[in-house]
Amino acid sequence: MYEMLLVLTLALNLSSDLIDRRVSRSSRIDALSLWTGIVQLLLICPFLGLVDVPSLPQLAVLVAVGWFSSYARGRWYAALSDQTQRLSRFTPFLRMSSVLVLLFAVLALGETMSERAALGAVLMIGAGFIVSLDRAHTSLAEFLKANQALGMVLVFALSNALVSVAYKHLLNLGLSIISIYFFLKLFQCTPLVAQSWRAGTLAYSYDEITNLRLFVASRALQTLAALLFLLALSKLDLSRVEPIVALMPLAYVVWEWLERRRGLPGASPAPNRRTVVVQVAALALSVVGFLLLR
Amino acid sequence: MRSEIVREYTYREEVLPIVLLGALLNLAGPHLNASLLGFHLVFLDMGGTLLAAMLLGPWWGAGVGVLSNAFNGLAFTAYFPFAVVNVAGALAWGYWYRAARADHEVFSPEGRGDLLRWARLYLKLVLIAVLVCAPLGVVVKASVYPLMDIPLHYNKPIYLDVMGQLVAAGVPLRADVLAVLLIDAWREVLDKGGAVAIGLAFALALGAIPRLVVPDPQRIPLRQRVCTDSDSILWFVVMHFAYLMMSRITMPEITLESASRAVLWMREPRVVALLYAPIVGGVLAFILLSHDSNTPLGAAIEAARRARSGLYHRFRLATVALGDSQGGAALLKLPSFKSIYGLGAMLVVWPYRAKLAGFGPLVPAAIILIAMLVIFALFFAESRAFKARLERAGRWFEAIARWRDLRSDARHANGVMQAFLEMHRGLLSAGGEVPRHAGDLLYLPLINVATSGVLAEARRGGLERLVVFATPNSRTLQRADLTTVRALLERAGLHDAMVICDAPGFADAEARDAFRAVTGFDLGVLNGEDLARTVARFARGEDVGYTVVEGRLAGSAQRLAEDGESHAWRPGEAPAHELAGRALPGLRDVIDHLPQASRVADLGAGRGRHTLYALLRGHSVIAIEQRHLTFTDLGTNVAHADGAAQRAVLVEGDYMAVESAALRRLDLIVITGVLQHARDHADLQRRLDRLHSLMHTPGGAIYVEMLYDMRFDGQPAKDRVTIEVAGFERMLVERFPADSWSIERTGGPAYSVLDFSKGGRSFFSQASFVEQVAAEYLITHTVTPEGSA
């Protein structure tokens, strides 16, 4: 039953990403980041009673990770708003967060890395590299320009990795998962609100989000997915969770294929043969690497 | 079609007073009952909730509910969890009120004095409250009491008695639940009967805010009718957050008398579910039942709100008349609703009233009661005065706008004359006289200036007695008209005249001399801008008056010619406010009166004088400039605007081609000194089409400065459209039809020579001297009954 809940979580996240892609293309990125932070915080406020007060060092970790992840989310929206990109192209880079988690766990938390995990990491890094070669380039400058969005996704993956490591670290210190979640949302939101307040755009900046209803629906889906994921995680072993999570990249590819086949609005144009081959190879490497990593 | 945000009310002038008043009523109810009335099991804590739900909408009502619960929770044990009942009551009242069109029922002219309608409304509202609040109250009790090992009936004799009777009667359901439900329903009749009476009394006294502006609300589909604005939902969620935060900090643990233990109530899953319910409701209402600007009702509500907001801003801002040095801080505050601060202060000091308990049980209640009565009385007095002024000023502003419209005629000149008369009622000896026609002129004979008061400045300018003339904007005064003026003055034995005229040519020195030559008299001139300032002064409660410049009454239209200031700055050299100070005066006035934090597009922004002016006024701006060098200067100048620069989006390119999210929703488009670059009539038409396509916002405006007959060092420009004033205005009228646009000529046509010999200012000029005839237009996107119903 909880496995089904996990699959539902994936579907919710996929829906949220697809909605965000549509909304972000004609919205102001700053406004998206700011209101994502605010809405997500407001959506979890009924859990305030379950929130414990962290110690000062814990608070410092939460502030730092919260601030960086709020910045990284802005980069994620900027990447999504790039109309030359497809979600499936981003996924190997998003998955890179697992490699980074492993790296941080080894460096910061003193964990060890098995040979199998190292192989998985290499495969995933290779997948990311392959994906960046799916377009022909004549110079380094052109290569960098074409993959600017991937760089932004990498920043987002780094922030996801930091969030995961922070979770693990703070859970080890005895802070509850809902407390970590709440304070992360709070500190993701705070710098953006302060910045917007200073600029005098706080009260009305959501006017610059193209379709506010879709945007709020996406936040609701995302919050629901997060809460369901936490619930599933509390009931299932990681060995059951990870293979299911590994399905996510494939879900993007399948959806984009369906979009094109059905001619849905906003569907990206059909990629050429080279792109298809490169992306399938990258995704396969990414999924295998991810499973090895775990 | 793109959907824009619709807001029903303005925060400061409309929402804040009602929310504060509502919260205060909710706070006062339980305390006054406890101290003075002493009714058992009655709280009277939802009168303010009803007031806000009726006047503002269900989610503002819910916000008042949680806000007051947050404060009441500090005083009453176990009060916090019952906020959800207050919220549910607000939503039920608010949505029903809209669905049933109850506002039109009781606030329409025929319904307002009909006590029977109010009585029917009272009964329905009480019934709704009983049906919603009683069962939900039982649910809350069932969620909280068992945690403290307290039975649902709380061992109270009244519940036990009814429960015993139900058991004896063999009722198959849970007798304890049913007994509590029945008693609570009866209690709600008393409680909500009182609360609804309080709410309705205050609503009747305050009157409705004009939310619905469509002529026939019967035709609006139910789904649109019950829609609310997304702002109210957002603010409710924010207030809910504040309430939860306050509960978490001040009362994480609650206990009741006879409870076996205290309980961390916010940690209980059932309570968390109850607390989450309003959030889920809010999200669903936001997605499914919030206004859409594409619906007729949504567009009409947004346009009406913007119009009111513009009026409020006119009252609040210091609008300094020409040559008038006053203004500034003294005029910055809205001259109404000062008692709002009293309401806010009462909310803040409320938790500390227990400090007065040492003076006996009745003293705190008496002090609070007296303070509240005084503040409420002040509030109502201010509210009534404000609304009366607002209504009159709104009407006068409309009269002035119609008079300045390109399609205006003598009928509208008559309107502005009537407005002028009304404004000076009691100050002019023949104020009630009906205007007459003399040729093409409309005039009011024998109007004598009062010996003291409002027109004292005019008298100092040499105008002891006046004949007031008005002219339609679409024409200018001719010499023949001046002859008519002289004949009328001579016939009346008068020596002076005041002319209301929007043609600046009439105000300039040449025309004035011509008039003096023809009539031998001096003359006062007022234009639309002067009249608007006079209305704003009236609305602020000041004396209406005029400023004397060079021994005559003067309008500000001549400032068009003053714009040609000779000093030139290098980019970044001048402070932002100095560059902004060079914005066109007519446009400054428009920007000043935009709603707070509006969105402005400056097309062909040049070096950014209008961009900077709008930024410094707190608006967001997208500035588009095509020339690379000018764009670089624009960037430098905007960067020097410090914090305001963050609200600017600068785009290098042709405004005909640029696509940007920042162009999506605009409140004002500025296009000054740009359209004359069109190559030919077809190109000019395309540019007007582009402007038309960019402005969707109901109540939004386009400000155009068109330059005609330009000569550069005496030579006409090449490759540019040749068009006369009348021809361009015909194009405007065709492209912006009267059914959804108004077009005011706010300045010009005025001839001037600009000196660029020391360098360009807003643009690079290849000539040292540029001759031009300039005219300015304000094109406003209106919402008509046809377009809205």
Side-chain angles (χ1 to χ4, degrees):
Chain A
M1 185 237 175
Y2 287 104
E3 284 83 351
M4 289 308 294
L5 212 56
L6 217 50
V7 173
L8 177 64
T9 304
L10 295 188
L12 291 171
N13 272 327
L14 176 68
S15 312
S16 168
D17 283 346
L18 292 169
I19 292 173
D20 282 348
R21 184 183 59 169
R22 178 164 299 182
V23 171
S24 63
R25 284 188 177 168
S26 50
S27 301
R28 195 161 169 172
I29 302 304
D30 296 346
L32 285 173
S33 299
L34 170 69
W35 285 95
T36 297
I38 292 175
V39 174
Q40 283 189 339
L41 180 66
L42 292 175
L43 284 177
I44 57 161
C45 66
F47 293 107
L48 260 170
L50 303 169
V51 171
D52 300 318
V53 181
S55 66
L56 277 179
Q58 291 169 347
L59 207 61
V61 171
L62 288 163
V63 168
V65 175
W67 178 84
F68 181 70
S69 55
S70 75
Y71 166 78
R73 195 195 289 123
R75 303 301 87 211
W76 169 241
Y77 281 127
L80 281 179
S81 67
D82 187 336
Q83 299 198 21
T84 64
Q85 305 288 333
R86 286 186 301 278
L87 270 175
S88 58
R89 194 166 186 258
F90 291 158
T91 33
F93 275 78
L94 267 182
R95 291 286 103 209
M96 208 72 87
S97 62
S98 303
V99 179
L100 293 166
V101 167
L102 187 68
L103 198 66
F104 288 136
V106 171
L107 294 177
L109 302 179
E111 293 186 6
T112 54
M113 187 192 289
S114 67
E115 288 178 1
R116 180 188 149 117
L119 179 63
V122 170
L123 285 180
M124 291 188 74
I125 293 168
F129 183 68
I130 288 174
V131 121
S132 65
L133 295 176
D134 67 344
R135 295 168 186 188
H137 312 292
T138 54
S139 67
L140 179 64
E142 199 181 313
F143 172 81
L144 290 176
K145 193 177 175 189
N147 292 301
Q148 200 177 18
L150 294 183
M152 295 178 190
V153 177
L154 203 56
V155 172
F156 189 54
L158 176 62
S159 101
N160 285 345
L162 279 173
V163 168
S164 298
V165 173
Y167 262 106
K168 193 164 184 181
H169 173 63
L170 295 170
L171 279 171
N172 287 343
L173 292 175
L175 203 58
S176 72
I177 200 162
I178 196 76
S179 305
I180 302 170
Y181 188 77
F182 173 79
F183 280 105
L184 272 180
K185 293 298 163 204
L186 180 66
F187 294 128
Q188 279 172 355
C189 184
T190 309
L192 297 171
V193 169
Q195 198 178 4
S196 183
W197 179 278
R198 186 173 172 270
T201 56
L202 179 61
Y204 299 98
S205 60
Y206 57 77
D207 282 353
E208 289 170 310
I209 297 172
T210 306
N211 192 327
L212 208 55
R213 287 197 186 97
L214 274 183
F215 174 79
V216 170
S218 176
R219 300 287 72 74
L221 292 176
Q222 218 172 30
T223 304
L224 184 60
L227 296 176
L228 290 178
F229 185 76
L230 292 179
L231 178 65
L233 208 58
S234 67
K235 302 289 180 187
L236 293 174
D237 292 336
L238 272 179
S239 57
R240 305 270 302 189
V241 172
E242 297 300 355
I244 298 173
V245 174
L247 290 171
M248 192 69 179
L250 296 175
Y252 287 122
V253 179
V254 171
W255 176 257
E256 283 178 358
W257 176 78
L258 273 173
E259 263 188 338
R260 280 195 295 275
R261 194 174 169 79
R262 299 257 170 187
L264 296 178
S268 49
N272 59 32
R273 193 177 178 79
R274 170 196 165 111
T275 306
V276 172
V277 170
V278 166
Q279 284 200 350
V280 169
L283 283 172
L285 278 181
S286 183
V287 172
V288 172
F290 183 69
L291 292 174
L292 286 175
L293 205 63
R294 300 292 176 172
Chain B
M1 196 187 282
R2 290 176 296 197
S3 171
E4 317 287 1
I5 301 250
V6 173
R7 296 187 175 89
E8 291 186 340
Y9 305 111
T10 65
Y11 290 130
R12 181 170 161 169
E13 294 84 4
E14 294 172 352
V15 171
L16 195 56
I18 305 289
V19 167
L20 283 176
L21 180 65
L24 197 58
L25 283 178
N26 281 0
L27 291 182
H31 293 280
L32 292 180
N33 179 55
S35 307
L36 299 176
L37 304 176
F39 291 132
H40 188 52
L41 291 177
V42 167
F43 294 99
L44 301 178
D45 62 345
M46 285 181 67
T49 303
L50 173 66
L51 178 73
M54 278 176 69
L55 297 189
L56 299 175
W59 292 99
W60 285 117
V64 167
V66 289
L67 194 64
S68 50
N69 254 73
F71 281 89
N72 272 333
L74 300 175
F76 294 94
T77 313
Y79 204 96
F80 276 119
F82 288 90
V84 70
V85 179
N86 220 321
V87 170
L91 297 181
W93 278 330
Y95 276 114
W96 173 82
Y97 187 75
R98 290 184 175 210
R101 295 182 284 261
D103 46 354
H104 290 277
E105 183 79 5
V106 290
F107 284 120
S108 60
E110 61 275 17
R112 206 174 158 79
D114 187 344
L115 284 179
L116 194 61
R117 290 188 189 204
W118 283 88
R120 277 202 304 264
L121 179 64
Y122 171 81
L123 291 176
K124 288 173 185 170
L125 290 169
V126 172
L127 180 66
I128 290 168
V130 172
L131 291 176
V132 172
C133 298
L136 197 58
V138 176
V139 170
V140 174
K141 287 177 180 175
S143 304
V144 176
Y145 286 6
L147 303 173
M148 292 180 270
D149 299 326
I150 296 174
L152 198 57
H153 49 69
Y154 207 81
N155 291 321
K156 286 192 174 175
I158 188 169
Y159 290 112
L160 292 171
D161 190 30
V162 173
M163 201 171 86
Q165 290 179 33
L166 288 171
V167 171
V171 173
L173 298 168
R174 274 187 61 177
D176 59 339
V177 175
L178 201 55
V180 173
L181 188 60
L182 286 172
I183 298 296
D184 279 6
W186 172 242
R187 187 186 61 76
E188 293 290 2
V189 171
L190 297 177
D191 184 34
K192 299 306 180 286
V196 170
I198 293 170
L200 281 186
F202 276 76
L204 180 62
L206 281 174
I209 298 166
R211 182 182 73 94
L212 299 175
V213 289
V214 282
D216 186 4
Q218 305 289 337
R219 290 186 182 172
I220 303 168
L222 177 66
R223 190 169 176 280
Q224 278 186 43
R225 231 163 41 220
V226 298
C227 278
T228 62
D229 63 356
S230 40
D231 274 24
S232 63
I233 301 173
L234 173 70
W235 277 106
F236 161 73
V237 179
V238 170
M239 286 191 261
H240 191 56
F241 181 86
Y243 147 74
L244 290 169
M245 189 64 97
M246 196 180 260
S247 312
R248 172 71 180 76
I249 293 169
T250 61
M251 199 77 76
E253 204 175 53
I254 56 172
T255 184
L256 286 172
E257 199 182 335
S258 81
S260 64
R261 58 195 169 93
V263 62
L264 292 165
W265 63 285
M266 292 176 81
R267 287 179 176 264
E268 297 302 324
R270 272 181 293 183
V271 176
V272 172
L274 275 176
L275 296 176
Y276 221 121
I279 302 276
V280 173
V283 170
L284 290 176
F286 189 91
I287 294 170
L288 303 172
L289 285 178
S290 59
H291 284 305
D292 190 323
S293 63
N294 294 327
T295 64
L297 182 64
I301 286 174
E302 173 66 9
R305 198 264 314 164
R306 291 174 64 86
R308 295 198 308 277
S309 179
L311 274 181
Y312 297 144
H313 278 257
R314 278 185 185 277
F315 299 163
R316 191 185 307 128
L317 287 172
T319 44
V320 183
L322 183 68
D324 189 349
S325 60
Q326 60 179 301
L331 299 180
L332 284 174
K333 283 180 188 167
L334 198 67
S336 174
F337 288 143
K338 288 196 182 77
S339 56
I340 195 175
Y341 301 117
L343 295 179
M346 286 209 68
L347 275 181
V348 172
V349 300
W350 193 265
Y352 303 103
R353 77 212 170 286
K355 303 281 181 193
L356 297 169
F359 296 99
L362 284 179
V363 172
I367 290 175
I368 287 168
L369 186 65
I370 290 167
M372 281 178 62
L373 285 176
V374 170
I375 288 177
F376 286 158
L378 279 174
F379 182 82
F380 285 127
E382 283 188 336
S383 173
R384 292 186 83 87
F386 180 72
K387 279 189 176 170
R389 282 185 174 171
L390 189 73
E391 194 187 331
R392 262 182 294 177
R395 205 155 28 83
W396 296 341
F397 277 128
E398 276 174 24
I400 296 166
R402 277 198 296 272
W403 174 65
R404 298 173 78 172
D405 197 297
L406 285 185
R407 307 173 183 96
S408 68
D409 53 25
R411 191 163 48 90
H412 295 123
N414 194 358
V416 85
M417 290 280 269
Q418 293 296 348
F420 184 83
L421 271 180
E422 230 181 304
M423 251 180 276
H424 299 87
R425 180 158 292 157
L427 300 166
L428 301 173
S429 62
E433 200 71 35
V434 176
R436 302 172 186 176
H437 286 276
D440 288 337
L441 292 174
L442 201 68
Y443 74 100
L444 275 169
L446 301 174
I447 295 180
N448 297 321
V449 178
T451 51
S452 65
V454 65
L455 291 181
E457 282 291 306
R459 291 177 61 236
R460 279 205 291 278
L463 300 172
E464 282 292 335
R465 292 177 295 176
L466 302 176
V467 168
V468 179
F469 293 88
T471 62
N473 181 54
S474 55
R475 54 186 291 280
T476 56
L477 251 66
Q478 310 294 319
R479 269 180 184 267
D481 298 323
L482 300 182
T483 310
T484 308
V485 171
R486 186 170 81 168
L488 287 168
L489 288 172
E490 283 175 349
R491 201 189 314 158
L494 299 176
H495 299 283
D496 303 303
M498 176 184 283
V499 175
I500 303 174
C501 172
D502 233 17
F506 198 66
D508 67 23
E510 193 181 348
R512 203 167 61 245
D513 290 345
F515 181 83
R516 196 180 285 120
V518 171
T519 65
F521 307 135
D522 211 338
L523 159 89
V525 180
L526 293 175
N527 66 3
E529 202 176 329
D530 296 321
L531 286 175
R533 286 175 198 282
T534 306
V535 175
R537 283 187 162 191
F538 168 85
R540 286 198 295 260
E542 300 164 21
D543 284 343
V544 289
Y546 305 99
T547 304
V548 179
V549 174
E550 296 173 2
R552 67 186 177 84
L553 286 172
S556 52
Q558 65 177 21
R559 284 188 293 170
L560 268 177
E562 292 169 6
D563 185 48
E565 198 179 324
S566 60
H567 182 72
W569 286 290
R570 282 189 294 276
E573 182 190 67
H577 70 268
E578 284 191 31
L579 282 170
R582 291 192 47 251
L584 291 174
L587 177 53
R588 269 186 285 189
D589 194 54
V590 173
I591 292 174
D592 286 349
H593 299 132
L594 282 174
Q596 193 183 357
S598 289
R599 303 181 190 288
V600 178
D602 190 358
L603 309 183
R607 285 168 162 167
R609 57 178 174 157
H610 296 136
T611 297
L612 285 166
Y613 192 82
L615 286 173
L616 294 178
R617 280 292 185 196
H619 307 301
S620 298
V621 182
I622 172 171
I624 302 175
E625 174 55 47
Q626 190 170 12
R627 287 189 189 182
H628 179 68
L629 283 176
T630 314
F631 181 76
T632 309
D633 288 354
L634 172 69
T636 310
N637 289 334
V638 169
H640 278 73
D642 298 327
Q646 293 180 43
R647 281 181 270 110
V649 175
L650 306 183
V651 182
E652 184 175 0
D654 182 356
Y655 70 89
M656 294 293 286
V658 167
E659 292 299 334
S660 166
L663 283 172
R664 200 174 63 79
R665 177 190 168 125
L666 297 168
D667 300 292
L668 175 67
I669 296 172
V670 175
I671 181 157
T672 56
V674 174
L675 290 176
Q676 76 277 6
H677 289 287
R679 288 185 303 280
D680 48 35
H681 281 74
D683 189 26
L684 186 57
Q685 186 63 55
R686 276 194 296 277
R687 289 165 190 257
L688 292 179
D689 290 345
R690 171 70 169 160
L691 295 178
H692 185 276
S693 71
L694 284 175
M695 179 49 70
H696 315 281
T697 315
I702 305 169
Y703 198 91
V704 175
E705 182 202 35
M706 182 64 180
L707 304 177
Y708 306 92
D709 198 19
M710 292 184 81
R711 289 175 181 272
F712 298 85
D713 290 333
Q715 299 300 315
K718 291 174 184 169
D719 302 326
R720 285 193 183 183
V721 63
T722 305
I723 192 164
E724 300 293 320
V725 174
F728 180 69
E729 291 181 352
R730 267 198 305 276
M731 288 179 82
L732 287 181
V733 167
E734 283 167 15
R735 190 63 198 95
F736 300 96
D739 60 356
S740 50
W741 300 87
S742 73
I743 311 169
E744 294 173 54
R745 192 205 295 154
T746 56
Y751 169 80
S752 61
V753 180
L754 305 179
D755 179 1
F756 290 102
S757 56
K758 295 172 188 168
R761 293 185 297 275
S762 297
F763 59 93
F764 289 102
S765 173
Q766 292 169 345
S768 298
F769 293 93
V770 176
E771 292 172 71
Q772 64 184 30
V773 173
E776 296 166 27
Y777 304 91
L778 181 67
I779 305 168
T780 308
H781 191 9
T782 56
V783 176
T784 61
E786 288 77 18
S788 62

